Amino acid sequence: MSLFDNPYDSESRLSCACGRHASKAAHEADAEVLSNQALETAVLKALFPRDGERRKFLRAVGANAAMGAIASLFPLGALQAMAQEKGKLEKKDVKIGFIPITCATPLIMSLPLGFYEKQGLNVSLVKTAGWALIRDKVQNKEYDASHLLAPMPLAMSMGAGSNAVPMNVATIQNSNGQAITLALKHKDKRDPKQWKGFKFAVPFEYSMHNFLLRYYVAEAGLDPDKDIQIRVVPPPEMVANLRADNLDGYLGPDPFNQRAVYDNIGFIHILTKEIWDGHPCCSFGVRTEWVKENPNTFAAMYRAVLNAAAMAAGPENRATIANAIAPANYLNQPVPVLEQVLTGKYADGLGGVKNVPNRIEFDPVPWNALGVWILTQMKRWGYIKGDVNYKSIVEQVYLMTDAKKRMKEEGIAAPADMPKKIIVMGKVFDASKPDAYVASFAIKKA
């Protein structure tokens, strides 16, 4: 039985349990239950020292899934550190890298709206030019934590495209929130079968953008390595390259899809939620070594970002958030552009106005199946070679399976399943059969 069956009455439950049994075995069993309950109580209080925050979190994720959600994001050692009284921060001055896109909304808004300060942190958000530079600065220990594309912690941990550095995913920053944008001259070429020879941009090789674009055109019968060109272009430069006719389109993050519409140079061909509703995009990543060295600071960062994500999940808050992240030191975008992205009521560039409330969503849990799907696409397109131990790699980075095991040992309720099945363009993904999934595609890297 989990403490979260009644999260506000831990003390009374503890005292009642003590007098319930007389035998030695029963007392030992009670002691184990009490230890588990005490751990749950202490972790919750450490993460959310204010009663109001605690209740808000429990209402947002559900009482029974609360400890599961928390445990899925922390190594056991970090949980145990948090279970002590709210520990002294190992370091208050924290440097976090980010790319100026709406995917990083919880991480960015935490500064102007005071979420970091509330946790005793003095955070410097460092706007960074591109993903390769962010990766290098994380690996070189110049950043304490960073906004990363969802595939990057997996690639970095494996040494794909760089030296191997063990990484952990603290949270998924967002789901959905991307689109394929085409130049206005292609208004009559809505069928991807017509895109042979097109020049497309993605923000990084190890990105959901790259993998979703490849998936989309391959389903139309095009080989993305032969029939189109895919170039890496930093998100802030995508609109300028579309205007200069260097690109026919891009699968990119917002706000740059909406900015192309705002500037009257492109139109939104398709939102990525129509390719895979619920796909991850970005994550909040930290080096595994840093988590072990700074468990209290890591917990404080997580508290800040989690509270920000809870606020971002509320549609009624999106206009406030758009104003908070619009200034030059953050996204440097017109507020109307950000409001269209965050509220989901937007102009499509073809004369229509659409209303898609879940154009972008904020679900912080790094489900293992998401990581396995990413690895299948890395395998499919030749970014990783040979046999792949999908399960082991994802567990090391996402920590989900290990968390479930530890929770079971402690008698804590395991996290609920993913809220949405992985269905990409109508094809259901079974995370237990990744090799069969890769083999099922007619178009892939030889």
Side-chain angles (χ1 to χ4, degrees), residues 1-18:
M1 187 176 194
S2 169
L3 174 61
F4 299 112
D5 293 334
N6 185 351
Y8 310 121
D9 194 24
S10 57
E11 289 83 359
S12 62
R13 284 181 53 190
L14 296 181
S15 62
C16 289
C18 291

Side-chain angles (χ1 to χ4, degrees), residues 400-418:
M400 191 74 175
T401 300
D402 183 62
K404 286 184 178 181
K405 177 183 175 183
R406 299 293 185 181
M407 290 164 63
K408 185 176 180 181
E409 291 172 354
E410 296 296 324
I412 302 170
D417 291 333
M418 286 180 59

Side-chain angles (χ1 to χ4, degrees), residues 90-102:
E90 294 83 10
K91 60 185 304 184
K92 292 184 178 180
D93 296 330
V94 177
K95 187 177 289 188
I96 300 175
F98 78 99
I99 299 287
I101 57 179
T102 50

Side-chain angles (χ1 to χ4, degrees), residues 246-378:
N246 295 327
L247 299 171
D248 295 288
Y250 50 82
L251 199 161
D254 275 312
F256 298 107
N257 302 295
Q258 203 61 50
R259 185 59 190 260
V261 174
Y262 184 83
D263 289 354
N264 199 34
I265 60 170
F267 67 94
I268 294 174
H269 168 70
I270 189 173
L271 299 179
T272 51
K273 75 169 289 294
E274 298 173 58
I275 299 173
W276 170 9
D277 188 11
H279 73 80
C281 179
C282 292
S283 61
F284 188 31
V286 244
R287 289 179 295 105
T288 304
E289 179 186 32
W290 194 91
V291 175
K292 293 176 180 177
E293 293 172 350
N294 303 280
N296 295 324
T297 302
F298 180 60
M301 281 198 304
Y302 179 72
R303 285 194 296 270
V305 175
L306 186 61
N307 276 291
M311 179 180 177
E316 70 279 5
N317 299 320
R318 299 291 176 88
T320 298
I321 293 168
N323 280 276
I325 65 178
N329 51 331
Y330 303 129
L331 265 58
N332 192 28
Q333 293 292 325
V335 171
V337 170
L338 300 180
E339 286 181 336
Q340 289 183 72
V341 172
L342 293 173
T343 64
K345 188 172 183 179
Y346 66 96
D348 63 6
L350 295 171
V353 175
K354 297 189 176 182
N355 189 16
V356 185
N358 62 341
R359 175 174 175 170
I360 186 169
E361 295 182 305
F362 301 96
D363 174 7
V365 181
W367 303 100
N368 278 358
L370 302 177
V372 175
W373 187 90
I374 289 169
L375 290 177
T376 66
Q377 300 309 294
M378 291 171 65

